[in-house]
Amino acid sequence: MLDLPIRQDDPEILPARKLSARVAGVFIAPEDHFETRAVDQLDLGFEGIEGDFHAGHTRRSGGREPWYPRGTEMRNERQLSIVAADELALVAERMGIAGIRPEWIGANLVVDGIPRLSMLPSGTMMFFKGGVTLKVDAQNGPCRVAGRSVAEHAGMADIEAGALLFPKVAKRLRGLVAWVEKPGRIADGEEMSVRIPEQWTYRG
């Protein structure tokens, strides 16, 4: 093995880790709307959740991909939205409302037992006891569409102000988006393990 000299700008490398967690809720969105409803289980194929609004091998680009013309067909790495109840509670507190239900923002999974869920790095793998494997693509950036849904459901006096506030206070608390690596079925209450890859910061 070639040993390279240590430089001052070398990144700190954090070793891989494994955590245990539990599914605290499963939800599906109708094909015509992003908001979800609670179910007992999710059936997943390589295209995502069967019948879900975000299912598909590909999707159309939007505001999150300014490097493509809007509507460009691209790989769908956003098949599932994953959130944590403690992070949603913090966002609700910052918005001055009683709470935020995962259905309001189109979440498919609520995960319990992972501190700072939204900070899990890209490439994190989620292994579910029933056999499903998900791979995390990235954080789910909060947007005004979800913010408007929250403001309307929470009965905020100024809906537009609430829609604008959500992206500001939910940054890095909105959860994760992931895609199906190994299909199967995920049930509410199911045990799962999370494998966090080795991490480093590229300073090149």
Side-chain angles (χ1 to χ4, degrees), residues 66-105:
W67 43 86
Y68 297 134
R70 188 178 289 266
T72 300
E73 187 174 21
M74 57 179 288
R75 180 177 297 280
N76 184 14
E77 79 296 342
R78 300 176 60 84
Q79 293 176 341
L80 288 93
S81 168
I82 306 169
V83 300
D86 59 338
E87 293 184 332
L88 294 185
L90 180 54
V91 175
E93 180 182 339
R94 292 177 176 180
M95 293 184 71
I97 58 178
I100 296 176
R101 296 189 59 83
E103 298 97 316
W104 300 351
I105 59 173

Tab-separated table of all heavy atoms in Angstrom, residues 66-105:
chain	number	residue	atom	x	y	z
A	66	PRO	N	-31.328	22.752	-10.742
A	66	PRO	CA	-31.243	23.894	-11.665
A	66	PRO	C	-30.303	23.662	-12.841
A	66	PRO	O	-30.318	24.423	-13.808
A	66	PRO	CB	-30.734	25.027	-10.766
A	66	PRO	CG	-29.997	24.341	-9.661
A	66	PRO	CD	-30.753	23.063	-9.415
A	67	TRP	N	-29.492	22.615	-12.779
A	67	TRP	CA	-28.566	22.308	-13.872
A	67	TRP	C	-29.273	21.643	-15.057
A	67	TRP	O	-28.673	21.490	-16.107
A	67	TRP	CB	-27.430	21.422	-13.372
A	67	TRP	CG	-27.883	20.324	-12.458
A	67	TRP	CD1	-28.344	19.081	-12.796
A	67	TRP	CD2	-27.948	20.386	-11.030
A	67	TRP	NE1	-28.677	18.355	-11.699
A	67	TRP	CE2	-28.440	19.127	-10.580
A	67	TRP	CE3	-27.631	21.358	-10.082
A	67	TRP	CZ2	-28.632	18.842	-9.234
A	67	TRP	CZ3	-27.823	21.070	-8.746
A	67	TRP	CH2	-28.316	19.821	-8.324
A	68	TYR	N	-30.539	21.251	-14.896
A	68	TYR	CA	-31.325	20.701	-15.999
A	68	TYR	C	-32.506	21.625	-16.304
A	68	TYR	O	-33.037	22.275	-15.396
A	68	TYR	CB	-31.908	19.322	-15.637
A	68	TYR	CG	-30.904	18.242	-15.371
A	68	TYR	CD1	-31.031	17.406	-14.265
A	68	TYR	CD2	-29.833	18.027	-16.226
A	68	TYR	CE1	-30.119	16.381	-14.011
A	68	TYR	CE2	-28.911	17.020	-15.976
A	68	TYR	CZ	-29.063	16.204	-14.874
A	68	TYR	OH	-28.154	15.204	-14.634
A	69	PRO	N	-32.947	21.671	-17.559
A	69	PRO	CA	-34.218	22.339	-17.847
A	69	PRO	C	-35.330	21.653	-17.054
A	69	PRO	O	-35.352	20.418	-16.938
A	69	PRO	CB	-34.401	22.129	-19.357
A	69	PRO	CG	-33.021	21.887	-19.879
A	69	PRO	CD	-32.290	21.171	-18.789
A	70	ARG	N	-36.221	22.443	-16.487
A	70	ARG	CA	-37.303	21.867	-15.688
A	70	ARG	C	-38.097	20.862	-16.516
A	70	ARG	O	-38.450	21.135	-17.657
A	70	ARG	CB	-38.220	22.969	-15.171
A	70	ARG	CG	-39.271	22.487	-14.171
A	70	ARG	CD	-40.087	23.653	-13.681
A	70	ARG	NE	-39.317	24.522	-12.806
A	70	ARG	CZ	-39.297	24.427	-11.479
A	70	ARG	NH1	-40.007	23.479	-10.886
A	70	ARG	NH2	-38.577	25.256	-10.757
A	71	GLY	N	-38.347	19.700	-15.914
A	71	GLY	CA	-39.094	18.657	-16.601
A	71	GLY	C	-38.242	17.620	-17.296
A	71	GLY	O	-38.768	16.715	-17.945
A	72	THR	N	-36.899	17.734	-17.145
A	72	THR	CA	-36.009	16.743	-17.744
A	72	THR	C	-36.178	15.392	-17.057
A	72	THR	O	-36.187	15.300	-15.831
A	72	THR	CB	-34.546	17.201	-17.623
A	72	THR	OG1	-34.373	18.445	-18.295
A	72	THR	CG2	-33.590	16.167	-18.214
A	73	GLU	N	-36.302	14.317	-17.826
A	73	GLU	CA	-36.409	12.989	-17.231
A	73	GLU	C	-35.062	12.576	-16.655
A	73	GLU	O	-34.028	12.704	-17.310
A	73	GLU	CB	-36.867	11.965	-18.258
A	73	GLU	CG	-37.167	10.606	-17.652
A	73	GLU	CD	-37.749	9.621	-18.642
A	73	GLU	OE1	-37.560	9.837	-19.853
A	73	GLU	OE2	-38.383	8.652	-18.212
A	74	MET	N	-35.072	12.092	-15.425
A	74	MET	CA	-33.851	11.712	-14.733
A	74	MET	C	-34.155	10.550	-13.793
A	74	MET	O	-35.312	10.216	-13.539
A	74	MET	CB	-33.287	12.901	-13.943
A	74	MET	CG	-34.261	13.500	-12.934
A	74	MET	SD	-33.592	14.874	-11.981
A	74	MET	CE	-32.443	13.997	-10.903
A	75	ARG	N	-33.106	9.938	-13.278
A	75	ARG	CA	-33.289	8.818	-12.347
A	75	ARG	C	-34.034	9.299	-11.099
A	75	ARG	O	-33.775	10.383	-10.579
A	75	ARG	CB	-31.933	8.233	-11.954
A	75	ARG	CG	-32.050	7.050	-10.968
A	75	ARG	CD	-30.690	6.457	-10.664
A	75	ARG	NE	-30.080	5.904	-11.858
A	75	ARG	CZ	-30.382	4.716	-12.371
A	75	ARG	NH1	-31.320	3.958	-11.800
A	75	ARG	NH2	-29.763	4.276	-13.449
A	76	ASN	N	-34.933	8.462	-10.604
A	76	ASN	CA	-35.708	8.796	-9.409
A	76	ASN	C	-35.007	8.284	-8.159
A	76	ASN	O	-35.136	7.119	-7.792
A	76	ASN	CB	-37.114	8.195	-9.510
A	76	ASN	CG	-37.984	8.594	-8.329
A	76	ASN	OD1	-37.657	9.493	-7.575
A	76	ASN	ND2	-39.108	7.915	-8.191
A	77	GLU	N	-34.251	9.163	-7.523
A	77	GLU	CA	-33.592	8.833	-6.265
A	77	GLU	C	-34.435	9.284	-5.067
A	77	GLU	O	-34.035	9.131	-3.921
A	77	GLU	CB	-32.206	9.478	-6.217
A	77	GLU	CG	-32.150	10.949	-5.870
A	77	GLU	CD	-32.823	11.877	-6.895
A	77	GLU	OE1	-33.045	11.449	-8.034
A	77	GLU	OE2	-33.132	13.014	-6.524
A	78	ARG	N	-35.638	9.811	-5.347
A	78	ARG	CA	-36.523	10.335	-4.311
A	78	ARG	C	-37.774	9.461	-4.187
A	78	ARG	O	-38.892	9.961	-4.093
A	78	ARG	CB	-36.913	11.773	-4.634
A	78	ARG	CG	-35.739	12.739	-4.728
A	78	ARG	CD	-36.197	14.129	-5.158
A	78	ARG	NE	-37.159	14.694	-4.226
A	78	ARG	CZ	-36.827	15.330	-3.113
A	78	ARG	NH1	-35.546	15.496	-2.780
A	78	ARG	NH2	-37.761	15.816	-2.314
A	79	GLN	N	-37.599	8.154	-4.147
A	79	GLN	CA	-38.741	7.247	-4.113
A	79	GLN	C	-39.453	7.256	-2.762
A	79	GLN	O	-40.667	7.041	-2.701
A	79	GLN	CB	-38.294	5.827	-4.456
A	79	GLN	CG	-37.831	5.676	-5.896
A	79	GLN	CD	-37.307	4.290	-6.190
A	79	GLN	OE1	-36.952	3.528	-5.290
A	79	GLN	NE2	-37.233	3.946	-7.473
A	80	LEU	N	-38.723	7.487	-1.691
A	80	LEU	CA	-39.326	7.516	-0.356
A	80	LEU	C	-38.842	8.736	0.422
A	80	LEU	O	-37.686	9.161	0.289
A	80	LEU	CB	-38.963	6.269	0.464
A	80	LEU	CG	-39.616	4.956	0.060
A	80	LEU	CD1	-38.737	4.200	-0.912
A	80	LEU	CD2	-39.893	4.110	1.300
A	81	SER	N	-39.734	9.261	1.258
A	81	SER	CA	-39.421	10.352	2.173
A	81	SER	C	-39.438	9.796	3.597
A	81	SER	O	-40.415	9.163	4.015
A	81	SER	CB	-40.446	11.478	2.024
A	81	SER	OG	-40.327	12.418	3.073
A	82	ILE	N	-38.348	10.028	4.340
A	82	ILE	CA	-38.179	9.461	5.677
A	82	ILE	C	-37.986	10.602	6.677
A	82	ILE	O	-37.154	11.489	6.460
A	82	ILE	CB	-36.956	8.530	5.719
A	82	ILE	CG1	-37.070	7.463	4.627
A	82	ILE	CG2	-36.807	7.882	7.094
A	82	ILE	CD1	-35.799	6.663	4.411
A	83	VAL	N	-38.742	10.592	7.771
A	83	VAL	CA	-38.666	11.663	8.769
A	83	VAL	C	-38.565	11.066	10.170
A	83	VAL	O	-38.733	9.864	10.376
A	83	VAL	CB	-39.886	12.602	8.684
A	83	VAL	CG1	-39.981	13.267	7.311
A	83	VAL	CG2	-41.181	11.858	9.007
A	84	ALA	N	-38.305	11.959	11.142
A	84	ALA	CA	-38.244	11.581	12.559
A	84	ALA	C	-39.180	12.487	13.347
A	84	ALA	O	-39.230	13.702	13.105
A	84	ALA	CB	-36.824	11.705	13.090
A	85	ALA	N	-39.916	11.925	14.291
A	85	ALA	CA	-40.898	12.684	15.053
A	85	ALA	C	-40.258	13.811	15.857
A	85	ALA	O	-40.839	14.899	15.974
A	85	ALA	CB	-41.673	11.740	15.981
A	86	ASP	N	-39.064	13.577	16.415
A	86	ASP	CA	-38.441	14.617	17.233
A	86	ASP	C	-38.046	15.826	16.392
A	86	ASP	O	-38.149	16.978	16.844
A	86	ASP	CB	-37.237	14.068	18.006
A	86	ASP	CG	-36.155	13.483	17.112
A	86	ASP	OD1	-36.445	13.110	15.959
A	86	ASP	OD2	-34.997	13.403	17.572
A	87	GLU	N	-37.623	15.596	15.151
A	87	GLU	CA	-37.267	16.713	14.283
A	87	GLU	C	-38.512	17.482	13.846
A	87	GLU	O	-38.493	18.726	13.785
A	87	GLU	CB	-36.472	16.209	13.082
A	87	GLU	CG	-35.100	15.667	13.465
A	87	GLU	CD	-34.261	15.253	12.271
A	87	GLU	OE1	-34.832	14.874	11.229
A	87	GLU	OE2	-33.026	15.296	12.392
A	88	LEU	N	-39.597	16.773	13.560
A	88	LEU	CA	-40.837	17.459	13.197
A	88	LEU	C	-41.352	18.289	14.365
A	88	LEU	O	-41.887	19.396	14.164
A	88	LEU	CB	-41.902	16.451	12.770
A	88	LEU	CG	-41.639	15.662	11.489
A	88	LEU	CD1	-42.850	14.809	11.143
A	88	LEU	CD2	-41.285	16.577	10.335
A	89	ALA	N	-41.179	17.805	15.581
A	89	ALA	CA	-41.604	18.566	16.759
A	89	ALA	C	-40.805	19.856	16.891
A	89	ALA	O	-41.350	20.907	17.261
A	89	ALA	CB	-41.457	17.714	18.023
A	90	LEU	N	-39.512	19.801	16.583
A	90	LEU	CA	-38.672	20.990	16.654
A	90	LEU	C	-39.086	22.009	15.594
A	90	LEU	O	-39.150	23.216	15.864
A	90	LEU	CB	-37.207	20.606	16.487
A	90	LEU	CG	-36.175	21.739	16.543
A	90	LEU	CD1	-36.325	22.553	17.820
A	90	LEU	CD2	-34.765	21.175	16.427
A	91	VAL	N	-39.390	21.537	14.392
A	91	VAL	CA	-39.850	22.443	13.336
A	91	VAL	C	-41.172	23.093	13.739
A	91	VAL	O	-41.361	24.310	13.558
A	91	VAL	CB	-40.007	21.683	11.999
A	91	VAL	CG1	-40.596	22.615	10.940
A	91	VAL	CG2	-38.667	21.133	11.538
A	92	ALA	N	-42.073	22.316	14.309
A	92	ALA	CA	-43.356	22.864	14.753
A	92	ALA	C	-43.157	23.944	15.811
A	92	ALA	O	-43.812	25.000	15.775
A	92	ALA	CB	-44.233	21.734	15.296
A	93	GLU	N	-42.246	23.682	16.731
A	93	GLU	CA	-41.959	24.677	17.778
A	93	GLU	C	-41.447	25.973	17.164
A	93	GLU	O	-41.864	27.076	17.560
A	93	GLU	CB	-40.921	24.102	18.746
A	93	GLU	CG	-40.530	25.044	19.873
A	93	GLU	CD	-39.470	24.454	20.773
A	93	GLU	OE1	-39.324	23.206	20.794
A	93	GLU	OE2	-38.780	25.236	21.449
A	94	ARG	N	-40.589	25.871	16.181
A	94	ARG	CA	-40.044	27.055	15.520
A	94	ARG	C	-41.110	27.809	14.731
A	94	ARG	O	-40.988	29.022	14.524
A	94	ARG	CB	-38.888	26.657	14.590
A	94	ARG	CG	-37.654	26.157	15.325
A	94	ARG	CD	-36.577	25.724	14.333
A	94	ARG	NE	-35.338	25.336	14.996
A	94	ARG	CZ	-34.247	24.917	14.367
A	94	ARG	NH1	-34.255	24.821	13.028
A	94	ARG	NH2	-33.164	24.587	15.034
A	95	MET	N	-42.139	27.086	14.280
A	95	MET	CA	-43.224	27.725	13.538
A	95	MET	C	-44.337	28.230	14.445
A	95	MET	O	-45.278	28.892	13.985
A	95	MET	CB	-43.807	26.739	12.513
A	95	MET	CG	-42.854	26.365	11.396
A	95	MET	SD	-43.626	25.291	10.127
A	95	MET	CE	-44.754	26.481	9.337
A	96	GLY	N	-44.247	27.900	15.733
A	96	GLY	CA	-45.258	28.351	16.671
A	96	GLY	C	-46.577	27.616	16.548
A	96	GLY	O	-47.645	28.183	16.828
A	97	ILE	N	-46.522	26.335	16.145
A	97	ILE	CA	-47.740	25.526	16.031
A	97	ILE	C	-47.618	24.302	16.923
A	97	ILE	O	-46.532	23.956	17.389
A	97	ILE	CB	-48.005	25.110	14.568
A	97	ILE	CG1	-46.814	24.319	14.000
A	97	ILE	CG2	-48.283	26.342	13.706
A	97	ILE	CD1	-47.025	23.828	12.562
A	98	ALA	N	-48.741	23.633	17.154
A	98	ALA	CA	-48.768	22.535	18.120
A	98	ALA	C	-47.990	21.314	17.646
A	98	ALA	O	-47.410	20.584	18.458
A	98	ALA	CB	-50.216	22.149	18.420
A	99	GLY	N	-47.967	21.064	16.353
A	99	GLY	CA	-47.268	19.891	15.845
A	99	GLY	C	-47.348	19.815	14.332
A	99	GLY	O	-48.077	20.578	13.693
A	100	ILE	N	-46.583	18.893	13.763
A	100	ILE	CA	-46.600	18.624	12.330
A	100	ILE	C	-46.748	17.127	12.139
A	100	ILE	O	-45.911	16.348	12.619
A	100	ILE	CB	-45.312	19.114	11.641
A	100	ILE	CG1	-45.182	20.638	11.741
A	100	ILE	CG2	-45.287	18.670	10.167
A	100	ILE	CD1	-43.886	21.175	11.170
A	101	ARG	N	-47.798	16.735	11.466
A	101	ARG	CA	-47.996	15.321	11.183
A	101	ARG	C	-47.207	14.936	9.934
A	101	ARG	O	-47.126	15.719	8.973
A	101	ARG	CB	-49.477	15.007	10.995
A	101	ARG	CG	-50.301	15.232	12.260
A	101	ARG	CD	-51.713	14.697	12.092
A	101	ARG	NE	-51.724	13.269	11.800
A	101	ARG	CZ	-51.648	12.312	12.733
A	101	ARG	NH1	-51.532	12.633	14.010
A	101	ARG	NH2	-51.671	11.041	12.376
A	102	PRO	N	-46.616	13.747	9.917
A	102	PRO	CA	-45.822	13.345	8.750
A	102	PRO	C	-46.625	13.327	7.456
A	102	PRO	O	-46.081	13.589	6.381
A	102	PRO	CB	-45.323	11.937	9.122
A	102	PRO	CG	-46.170	11.489	10.265
A	102	PRO	CD	-46.596	12.726	10.979
A	103	GLU	N	-47.936	13.056	7.550
A	103	GLU	CA	-48.770	13.022	6.353
A	103	GLU	C	-48.797	14.373	5.636
A	103	GLU	O	-48.900	14.435	4.411
A	103	GLU	CB	-50.215	12.623	6.710
A	103	GLU	CG	-50.353	11.246	7.321
A	103	GLU	CD	-50.400	11.282	8.840
A	103	GLU	OE1	-49.595	12.026	9.440
A	103	GLU	OE2	-51.243	10.560	9.411
A	104	TRP	N	-48.730	15.456	6.407
A	104	TRP	CA	-48.861	16.794	5.824
A	104	TRP	C	-47.731	17.105	4.850
A	104	TRP	O	-47.909	17.894	3.926
A	104	TRP	CB	-48.876	17.851	6.914
A	104	TRP	CG	-49.988	17.739	7.905
A	104	TRP	CD1	-51.069	16.906	7.848
A	104	TRP	CD2	-50.121	18.471	9.121
A	104	TRP	NE1	-51.857	17.074	8.951
A	104	TRP	CE2	-51.316	18.025	9.750
A	104	TRP	CE3	-49.353	19.455	9.745
A	104	TRP	CZ2	-51.747	18.546	10.962
A	104	TRP	CZ3	-49.785	19.976	10.959
A	104	TRP	CH2	-50.972	19.524	11.563
A	105	ILE	N	-46.559	16.513	5.077
A	105	ILE	CA	-45.405	16.828	4.234
A	105	ILE	C	-44.999	15.645	3.350
A	105	ILE	O	-43.890	15.599	2.834
A	105	ILE	CB	-44.214	17.316	5.085
A	105	ILE	CG1	-43.796	16.269	6.116
A	105	ILE	CG2	-44.550	18.644	5.776
A	105	ILE	CD1	-42.531	16.634	6.867
